[in-house]
Amino acid sequence: MSQIKADLKSIKGISAKDVKMIADAEILLGPDPEEMGFVQNLFWGNLREELVFPYPKQDAEETARCDQLIAAVDEYFLTEHPAVLIDQEQEIPRWVIDRLFQLGVMGMTIGKEYGGLGMGVTSYVRVLERIGFYCGSTAVLVSAHQSIGCKAVMLFGNDEQKKRWLPHLAKDWVSAFCLSEPNVGCDAGGQETHCEKSDDGEYYILNGEKKWATSGAISALFTVMAKQKIKDPRSGKEVERVSALVCHPEMEGVDIFQKNRSKCGIRGTWQARIRFHNVRVPKANLLHTEGKGLNVALSCLNYGRCTLSAGMLGGAVRAMNQGIKWSRTRYQFDRPLGEFELVREKIARMAALCYAMDAMLYMTTGFLDRHDEDIRVETAICKTFCSEMGWRAVNDAVQIMGGESYMTENEVERIFRDSRINTIVEGANEVMQSFIFAYGGKALAEQMVGIQNVLGPDRDKNPITNLFKLMAGLKTPTGRAAIAKAIPLGAELFLGMKRPAPTITTLHPSLTEQAERVCGLIQEHSHQFKLASKENEEKIIDRQCVQARIADPAIYIHGMICTLSKLDRQTRAGEEGVEFERDRAAAFHYLNLAELWCKESWRSLRLNADESMRTAADAAIAHNDTMPNSLFAIPEKSPSARGTGRKLKQDGIKQFPGDKHAHAKS
């Protein structure tokens, strides 16, 4: 990474609010890793082949163990699991949870020494995909328990904590992760729940409220994120940082005051609301170290984003298979629907998207299994891609089946409802687009800002002053280094002289043409990021539409690389037959679609309706402001309109009073 770099907060012309947002994001994300990951390199126009070729491969012994577990899962879900009843009754019965524990599903990734199966991330995600094929609610239950609930203990618990909690979490305790709050969604650093040390130093006194804690009403263990005042070891000043504490529902002051809310989809899951009032949490229940709670949360989210993607993939594949079968057996105008080209377009798109989702998901689990250092962008892309493309595939299946898809007996409508939440949770896709743009391009942006700071003119200074600044800068080692970086950058930005495209040297020869096209897109992606940064300057901080038009091609290109890598493995393995021909055709179709999407995104950087969009949004907001809040649902803790909205009716919504579903006895 170049030494000519600058703090992004030093960009001239950005508001104080944006400076604070960047500072908060830097605290949230932590220090940059020593080496840039795969996607960050794409922003520079580089391709690190060794990270993505060959496609990740599982250990044969573990694969066999996972195959056996999937067979047991299939048997259970086909013969016992009450998926329809779970959706209709809005709860997963305790006997179902107990069966999942008996099968080993709830302890798949927990080490064998603690009573779990000790499986890697890829195996775990394979099983989650299978569960998602049958029941979205159950997939969310299992994912919330293992990916974010007990994962915090697995990753950051000390030996004593692991011995105390993991055997239960593998065998009979459900766990929950308490991050979201009424005022905290994607802004994980904005916690309002607080903790402080007791006078004797033996406890953390916890106060606050958590919302959307999946399985919180039936959990025996919560991982709770809370702000804490600590001394910054570098500055010596008192600062607020997030710490991670383990709590149990029987602790005095823990109030699970709402166990469930009726939902559009994943209706069998329970999202609890929990208040903590002067809860005395033993200091032995601190995970990691004080002030490192966001490291715990973000590490767990890397896993949660993969398992969300797995459940989405399972549902999309089932919907696709059902949709295609319907198109072959439903006749209109004396021929099957599958013969009409607009239906065939949907069939091809479903196949292409499901193949690419699969390729990206298991590439990402490969990164996690081998403990790659910089995968924050890759897991964000996996979640964004799989949730969006899975939703599109399910939507296509619904359209193919027509009115019958809306009938609950066909179950596609349940997949449709269960899928929609995935574009919102684990980081809303719009937030993920801005994150992918900002963090993916962070190192390159820092270099560009650094060059500008050393050599560029100041807008508020006269030409003579700027000339002296430039001349003085060129006499310094930093200035000379900056000019060496500035010359090729200037040639690219002002003369269109792009840096050479990368090359892929390890793919099967039959994929050479596709590899060259992808490399050309990587070259163009880096070029468009630089152009957009130059054209928008400091305004790009607020222009999320521009950010999305850069982030989306990064997502599509990463999907293309994953698709090529998976197809390369299949080709080298000598796969053949109708399944392989389907996969190959689907892969090629995704590559073509993604290339078109990339070019459309770049074209819309300069040919768009953003100006009229901003005007129309302002006008619509101004009109809405004339309507009384009392007619509408208003966020319960809105800083501007709290308590002014209409009261939402709860009549007819099934409630679960008492402790009928209390956690299993310890």
Side-chain angles (χ1 to χ4, degrees):
M1 193 181 297
S2 168
Q3 296 304 307
I4 307 299
K5 56 185 290 188
D7 190 328
L8 295 181
K9 299 188 294 297
S10 69
I11 299 174
K12 290 180 173 60
I14 65 172
S15 67
K17 189 180 294 186
D18 286 332
V19 169
K20 183 180 184 303
M21 180 182 70
I22 294 171
D24 289 345
E26 289 172 346
I27 293 171
L28 181 67
L29 295 171
D32 291 338
E34 289 298 316
E35 288 191 342
M36 290 187 294
F38 181 76
V39 173
Q40 270 209 343
N41 269 278
L42 293 183
F43 279 79
W44 288 79
N46 300 329
L47 193 156
R48 291 186 62 186
E49 283 188 85
E50 77 280 6
L51 295 180
V52 290
F53 301 115
Y55 195 74
K57 189 176 182 180
Q58 270 192 296
D59 172 76
E61 187 272 334
E62 171 144 333
T63 299
R65 289 176 59 222
C66 185
D67 288 344
Q68 288 182 330
L69 181 56
I70 289 174
V73 166
D74 280 336
E75 174 68 18
Y76 161 71
F77 275 89
L78 287 169
T79 60
E80 298 180 55
H81 190 74
V84 174
L85 196 64
I86 285 171
D87 181 64
Q88 293 175 344
E89 295 294 319
Q90 302 181 55
E91 64 175 309
I92 299 174
R94 182 69 213 192
W95 72 262
V96 169
I97 298 172
D98 291 339
R99 285 288 285 123
L100 294 172
F101 273 117
Q102 291 165 12
L103 288 167
V105 166
M106 299 292 275
M108 282 183 282
T109 59
I110 295 174
K112 294 179 182 178
E113 67 272 29
Y114 302 112
L117 299 183
M119 289 184 167
V121 180
T122 298
S123 294
Y124 166 45
V125 167
R126 285 182 63 202
V127 176
L128 250 295
E129 179 193 340
R130 203 68 187 157
I131 295 173
F133 185 89
Y134 295 109
C135 180
S137 289
T138 305
V140 171
L141 167 81
V142 177
S143 174
H145 169 65
Q146 284 193 91
S147 300
I148 55 177
C150 61
K151 181 62 72 174
V153 177
M154 292 170 59
L155 292 176
F156 297 100
N158 57 40
D159 288 342
E160 192 278 330
Q161 289 171 334
K162 290 178 181 179
K163 289 175 184 175
R164 184 162 30 129
W165 295 321
L166 289 182
H168 280 299
L169 294 171
K171 295 298 182 184
D172 57 1
W173 280 6
V174 176
S175 60
F177 195 73
C178 298
L179 177 64
S180 296
E181 300 180 5
N183 266 343
V184 177
C186 296
D187 180 13
Q191 302 292 307
E192 295 179 352
T193 297
H194 274 75
C195 68
E196 57 183 20
K197 279 280 191 71
S198 60
D199 292 339
D200 60 9
E202 293 299 310
Y203 296 90
Y204 294 94
I205 310 303
L206 180 65
N207 284 280
E209 180 182 324
K210 294 295 180 177
K211 190 176 184 180
W212 310 123
T214 297
S215 302
I218 57 174
S219 293
L221 179 150
F222 315 136
T223 302
V224 182
M225 299 295 138
K227 278 278 183 73
Q228 179 186 2
K229 290 181 180 179
I230 61 174
K231 184 175 287 187
D232 187 328
R234 289 174 295 183
S235 67
K237 297 180 179 178
E238 188 175 68
V239 294
E240 279 198 329
R241 295 288 185 265
V242 176
S243 294
L245 302 173
V246 170
C247 298
H248 304 284
E250 66 272 12
M251 287 179 170
E252 187 175 351
V254 174
D255 177 20
I256 304 174
F257 69 95
Q258 188 172 33
K259 298 186 177 184
N260 183 43
R261 292 176 70 189
S262 184
K263 299 178 293 297
C264 168
I266 56 167
R267 288 165 64 82
T269 64
W270 287 9
Q271 283 70 39
R273 300 190 65 174
I274 308 172
R275 289 194 188 103
F276 302 94
H277 180 66
N278 291 332
V279 179
R280 294 170 64 83
V281 183
K283 67 178 183 180
N285 286 26
L286 172 72
L287 285 178
H288 203 0
T289 56
E290 291 183 351
K292 295 292 185 181
L294 285 179
N295 298 68
V296 175
L298 293 171
S299 297
C300 291
L301 287 176
N302 282 335
Y303 294 88
R305 286 169 179 160
C306 283
T307 50
L308 177 150
S309 300
M312 182 72 258
L313 175 59
V317 169
R318 185 173 187 185
M320 174 186 69
N321 291 342
Q322 174 60 68
I324 295 174
K325 186 62 70 179
W326 192 269
S327 79
R328 298 294 296 150
T329 55
R330 166 68 166 155
Y331 279 65
Q332 287 287 275
F333 306 104
D334 297 323
R335 51 180 171 162
L337 293 179
E339 291 186 7
F340 292 95
E341 191 165 68
L342 286 176
V343 175
R344 291 169 63 80
E345 178 189 37
K346 291 176 176 57
I347 292 170
R349 184 164 56 221
M350 289 190 298
L353 297 183
C354 286
Y355 184 91
M357 289 165 62
D358 184 286
M360 183 183 289
L361 173 59
Y362 291 105
M363 178 71 79
T364 310
T365 63
F367 296 155
L368 284 162
D369 273 331
R370 72 188 185 203
H371 308 293
D372 283 12
E373 185 183 8
D374 185 16
I375 56 169
R376 288 176 282 192
V377 182
E378 287 74 9
T379 57
I381 284 179
C382 184
K383 182 270 169 182
T384 307
F385 184 84
C386 289
S387 63
E388 174 61 31
M389 300 306 168
W391 168 250
R392 293 185 193 180
V394 172
N395 193 49
D396 279 339
V398 168
Q399 193 68 20
I400 289 171
M401 290 186 67
E404 282 293 340
S405 70
Y406 239 52
M407 304 299 108
T408 57
E409 65 205 58
N410 285 313
E411 299 190 43
V412 170
E413 65 85 30
R414 189 178 79 236
I415 301 173
F416 183 79
R417 288 186 286 105
D418 288 347
S419 298
R420 185 60 183 87
I421 191 65
N422 291 325
T423 64
I424 299 170
V425 294
E426 304 282 7
N429 284 3
E430 292 80 5
V431 175
M432 291 295 96
Q433 285 172 309
S434 290
F435 171 75
I436 292 160
F437 166 83
Y439 190 74
K442 182 174 183 286
L444 179 53
E446 286 173 341
Q447 185 186 92
M448 294 176 70
V449 172
I451 292 171
Q452 172 69 23
N453 287 349
V454 175
L455 302 176
D458 292 332
R459 296 178 201 165
D460 53 350
K461 300 290 174 55
N462 62 56
I464 299 298
T465 303
N466 280 320
L467 178 61
F468 280 119
K469 174 194 172 185
L470 175 61
M471 293 173 64
L474 292 177
K475 294 178 182 179
T476 67
T478 301
R480 288 191 291 271
I483 198 69
K485 300 291 184 183
I487 290 173
L489 179 62
E492 182 167 354
L493 291 176
F494 297 101
L495 301 177
M497 297 171 61
K498 304 172 191 175
R499 59 174 293 171
T503 57
I504 301 176
T505 62
T506 55
L507 275 180
H508 190 274
S510 65
L511 302 175
T512 299
E513 178 192 341
Q514 287 72 27
E516 290 175 351
R517 286 164 54 194
V518 172
C519 288
L521 294 173
I522 293 171
Q523 176 194 44
E524 188 64 24
H525 171 65
S526 179
H527 181 62
Q528 293 294 337
F529 175 83
K530 295 167 190 170
L531 283 179
S533 299
K534 168 183 167 288
E535 292 165 358
N536 292 275
E537 296 181 321
E538 72 276 2
K539 293 178 182 176
I540 204 166
I541 301 292
D542 291 322
R543 290 189 172 167
Q544 292 183 323
C545 290
V546 174
Q547 295 173 15
R549 291 171 191 137
I550 295 295
D552 286 348
I555 295 169
Y556 305 145
I557 292 169
H558 184 53
M560 295 174 84
I561 293 292
C562 297
T563 294
L564 277 175
S565 185
K566 180 184 175 183
L567 185 58
D568 173 72
R569 186 184 73 179
Q570 291 178 284
T571 304
R572 292 182 186 278
E575 292 187 21
E576 55 186 15
V578 292
E579 185 174 354
F580 174 68
E581 290 305 318
R582 178 205 63 181
D583 285 353
R584 181 179 172 84
F588 279 13
H589 189 46
Y590 172 73
L591 295 172
N592 287 337
L593 288 174
E595 183 172 2
L596 292 172
W597 296 338
C598 286
K599 291 177 178 177
E600 177 59 29
S601 288
W602 294 326
R603 186 160 48 247
S604 65
L605 283 168
R606 290 155 200 97
L607 184 64
N608 55 63
D610 287 359
E611 199 62 43
S612 60
M613 174 273 291
R614 286 188 279 269
T615 301
D618 287 342
I621 290 169
H623 175 261
N624 187 268
D625 284 347
T626 67
M627 300 179 181
N629 290 352
S630 58
L631 297 176
F632 301 94
I634 297 294
E636 62 188 275
K637 292 202 174 179
S638 167
S640 62
R642 183 174 180 175
T644 62
R646 68 180 174 87
K647 187 173 182 180
L648 303 181
K649 294 182 179 180
Q650 299 293 311
D651 302 345
I653 296 176
K654 186 172 182 178
Q655 300 296 325
F656 302 100
D659 58 358
K660 168 187 165 188
H661 292 276
H663 63 83
K665 60 182 181 295
S666 60

